Amino acid sequence: MRCTVREAVVAAAVIIAAVAVVAVVGSLAAASSAEQYALLQRPSWAPPPWLFGPMWTVLYILMAVAGWRAWCAGPGRSRSTAMSWFAANLVLNAAWTPLFFATGQRTAALFEIVLLDIVIVVTAVLFWRRDRLAGVLLLPYLAWTLFATVLNGAIVALN
């Protein structure tokens, strides 16, 4: 790590706050998601509603640690690029739940999550180049989001 202690603390605070905002937006937009999810035609392999909260909690923690490690890997143009992609990832992540649940625009949410998948891949590669562990920490998030993309597509097809 190339951050000073002060830089590491500030970076951690900013990144945790940004990820927390995304989590809160998702949580607020998903207020009635369990009921809506239960009413949807879902494939047999769809996870139970109770799994989403714990899974996203773990993923948000991993994302925050990955972002912090990527930031603290050192200054320079590569940090700016990586963190810009990370910010785009957070914006797209925050947008999916309101699209899918709050507005019921499930087809638009499908297109949006495909874009999110691409942004996560680019972010993971950029993080990997800065700090290998930062890139690896995004892989569970990528796997879950790819699964969510397939689930979103199946729900669109079934409904």
Side-chain angles (χ1 to χ4, degrees):
M1 290 288 157
R2 295 185 195 158
C3 278
T4 65
V5 172
R6 182 177 184 279
E7 290 170 333
V9 169
V10 171
V14 169
I15 291 168
I16 289 168
V19 172
V21 166
V22 172
V24 167
V25 167
S27 178
L28 293 173
S32 65
S33 63
E35 296 84 19
Q36 288 183 47
Y37 187 69
L39 295 173
L40 293 170
Q41 294 280 329
R42 298 180 314 272
S44 60
W45 44 266
W50 64 263
L51 181 62
F52 292 95
M55 184 60 129
W56 276 109
T57 300
V58 170
L59 294 174
Y60 285 134
I61 291 168
L62 293 175
M63 290 165 58
V65 173
W68 176 77
R69 288 190 62 92
W71 178 272
C72 284
R77 186 172 179 271
S78 69
R79 177 164 71 187
S80 299
T81 302
M83 298 315 289
S84 294
W85 280 90
F86 185 62
N89 156 65
L90 293 177
V91 169
L92 289 169
N93 183 300
W96 185 86
T97 304
L99 271 174
F100 190 89
F101 287 111
T103 66
Q105 297 180 43
R106 292 175 180 84
T107 302
L110 178 58
F111 287 106
E112 193 272 355
I113 201 170
V114 169
L115 180 59
L116 175 59
D117 294 333
I118 294 165
V119 171
I120 295 169
V121 168
V122 172
T123 304
V125 169
L126 293 171
F127 277 20
W128 172 270
R129 290 178 181 166
R130 293 188 51 72
D131 177 88
R132 290 200 173 178
L133 183 55
V136 168
L137 289 171
L138 289 183
L139 295 180
Y141 171 47
L142 175 61
W144 182 258
T145 306
L146 289 169
F147 174 75
T149 303
V150 175
L151 180 58
N152 190 156
I155 289 172
V156 166
L158 291 170
N159 292 276

